[in-house]
Amino acid sequence: MIKQELLDVLACPKCKLPVRESKDEKYIVCDACRLLYEIREGIPVMLIDEAKQVEDTGGY
Amino acid sequence: MSFDSSAANYLNSSDHRTGSDLEFLAERFAEVRFGRMLDVACAAGHFANAVPADIKIVTDLSLNMLKKADEAFGLSLGAVSAAEFLPFQNDSFNFVGCRIAMHHFRNPCMFMGEVFRIMKQDGIFVLIDSVVDADDGHLNRIELLRDETHKKSHTVENIIAMAECERLEAKEAVILHKRHDFSEWANRLNPSTELFAEIEKAFFDLPAEYKQRYRVETENGRIKAYTDKKGLFIFQKP
């Protein structure tokens, strides 16, 4: 689980809007861009080029 | 060996773990404690560790560096990020720092624009990086030979101009000389024997004026050390 102190300020590097952690704690989710940023070994990988584009972030 | 796989070398590097820049900052901010700070391109975390702050967040392009920073200094609030696309909300930080890294960035202006965006009003940005004289292409060439991720060391004037373009106010600029043990410096990224020899030859081939400028030291026919300049800049978001 990503610590709250980090989530408080974390944003999507593309749109700069706040993000959230996915229900399964595998991704940081940007609902606005519909991008999933993978969490690797407990560390969010906030790279636009490596983010996964999805149709709908509702399930995450 | 890449930057990512040489995390331990950076943790133990005398160029990174000590330095008059860290001593200068410790003195300069002795009476201050920042609320939330960010160290951009933190490597093994020496800079973030040295800054007094309640919440310390670190970023680096390398996952292994972030793991090393956590292991060494307990810097557990980390995110993999490019300096030009910082993954943080506007007006989030009281202090942003970046030490000995900007010469690797593709777009320093974009980085500084991002620093402005994520800092709170009156926030402090401390930038420490190698600086060169206006007529000096030699050191950038040697740095690139040693490390293919090297982009460019800038002049003091360029750095201040880039920051001011992004609306950051320059408050202080200090030049510090940093002596590098050649063998440790050249071996940090574990070069081949051939590349090490090429880097050493590049120092031997420097014009006399530049050998003097970099205070190149030799011993038994080998390069022993050289000295470059680090600029320490303090900017503020008005």
Side-chain angles (χ1 to χ4, degrees):
Chain A
M1 181 182 272
I2 299 299
K3 290 186 180 171
Q4 192 59 45
E5 294 102 312
L6 182 57
L7 279 174
D8 283 344
V9 291
L10 205 60
C12 171
K14 188 173 178 186
C15 69
K16 319 299 185 189
L17 292 174
V19 289
R20 61 178 174 84
E21 189 170 16
S22 65
K23 293 162 196 160
D24 62 5
E25 300 179 359
K26 289 183 177 172
Y27 300 102
I28 294 294
V29 183
C30 175
D31 293 306
C33 299
R34 291 177 282 111
L35 287 174
L36 304 179
Y37 296 94
E38 192 184 348
I39 298 172
R40 282 183 212 146
E41 301 181 58
I43 298 174
V45 179
M46 304 301 289
L47 300 173
I48 299 168
D49 290 348
E50 294 190 21
K52 190 195 290 185
Q53 182 81 60
V54 292
E55 286 295 314
D56 181 7
T57 54
Y60 291 92
Chain B
M1 182 184 272
S2 70
F3 177 70
D4 187 61
S5 56
S6 57
N9 291 359
Y10 276 77
L11 175 64
N12 299 321
S13 149
S14 61
D15 288 340
H16 292 79
R17 75 169 187 265
T18 59
S20 49
D21 56 340
L22 294 182
E23 290 156 21
F24 179 92
L25 285 175
E27 198 174 307
R28 180 71 170 65
F29 296 117
E31 306 295 321
V32 185
R33 187 167 181 86
F34 296 98
R36 186 187 288 126
M37 70 93 64
L38 172 70
D39 184 357
V40 179
C42 68
H46 299 96
F47 186 27
N49 184 54
V51 176
D54 295 330
I55 298 174
K56 299 183 180 192
I57 296 178
V58 292
T59 69
D60 202 280
L61 255 183
S62 155
L63 185 73
N64 276 336
M65 285 293 173
L66 292 168
K67 286 163 60 183
K68 187 57 73 181
D70 186 9
E71 183 186 309
F73 301 114
L75 297 164
S76 61
L77 304 174
V80 175
S81 159
E84 295 89 345
F85 295 91
L86 293 174
F88 300 104
Q89 297 165 36
N90 297 354
D91 310 309
S92 294
F93 294 92
N94 308 93
F95 180 100
V96 176
C98 180
R99 179 177 182 246
I100 323 180
M102 197 177 77
H103 57 271
H104 294 288
F105 297 171
R106 287 187 183 146
N107 192 330
C109 289
M110 208 167 156
F111 159 60
M112 290 193 187
E114 281 289 82
V115 170
F116 181 90
R117 181 183 66 78
I118 64 169
M119 271 206 300
K120 294 182 180 183
Q121 189 174 8
D122 297 328
I124 297 289
F125 170 41
V126 171
L127 174 72
I128 301 164
D129 203 17
S130 306
V131 290
V132 295
D133 296 328
D135 60 347
D136 181 0
H138 294 287
L139 206 50
N140 269 312
R141 182 176 55 82
I142 294 174
E143 289 273 13
L144 181 60
L145 187 62
R146 166 184 170 263
D147 178 358
E148 61 185 15
T149 68
H150 177 87
K151 294 288 182 294
K152 187 179 179 184
S153 297
H154 297 268
T155 65
V156 170
E157 294 75 16
N158 272 352
I159 288 173
I160 292 174
M162 286 190 282
E164 288 182 340
C165 272
E166 300 301 332
R167 295 173 286 163
L168 293 161
E169 282 183 2
K171 295 292 179 187
E172 213 167 321
V174 179
I175 300 296
L176 304 163
H177 288 87
K178 193 167 185 106
R179 181 179 179 275
H180 302 271
D181 177 277
F182 177 74
S183 178
E184 185 195 328
W185 174 83
N187 276 312
R188 191 167 306 138
L189 292 164
N190 289 5
S192 63
T193 309
E194 293 75 20
L195 180 57
F196 183 93
E198 208 178 329
I199 300 166
E200 189 170 30
K201 184 174 181 303
F203 273 100
F204 277 120
D205 290 347
L206 282 170
E209 177 199 342
Y210 286 88
K211 280 185 185 154
Q212 196 175 9
R213 189 181 293 191
Y214 307 144
R215 303 176 192 174
V216 175
E217 300 168 39
T218 58
E219 189 176 70
N220 302 322
R222 306 296 303 265
I223 300 290
K224 187 183 176 197
Y226 82 98
T227 297
D228 68 359
K229 289 192 287 191
K230 304 294 177 201
L232 187 156
F233 304 85
I234 300 178
F235 298 102
Q236 191 165 30
K237 178 174 176 175

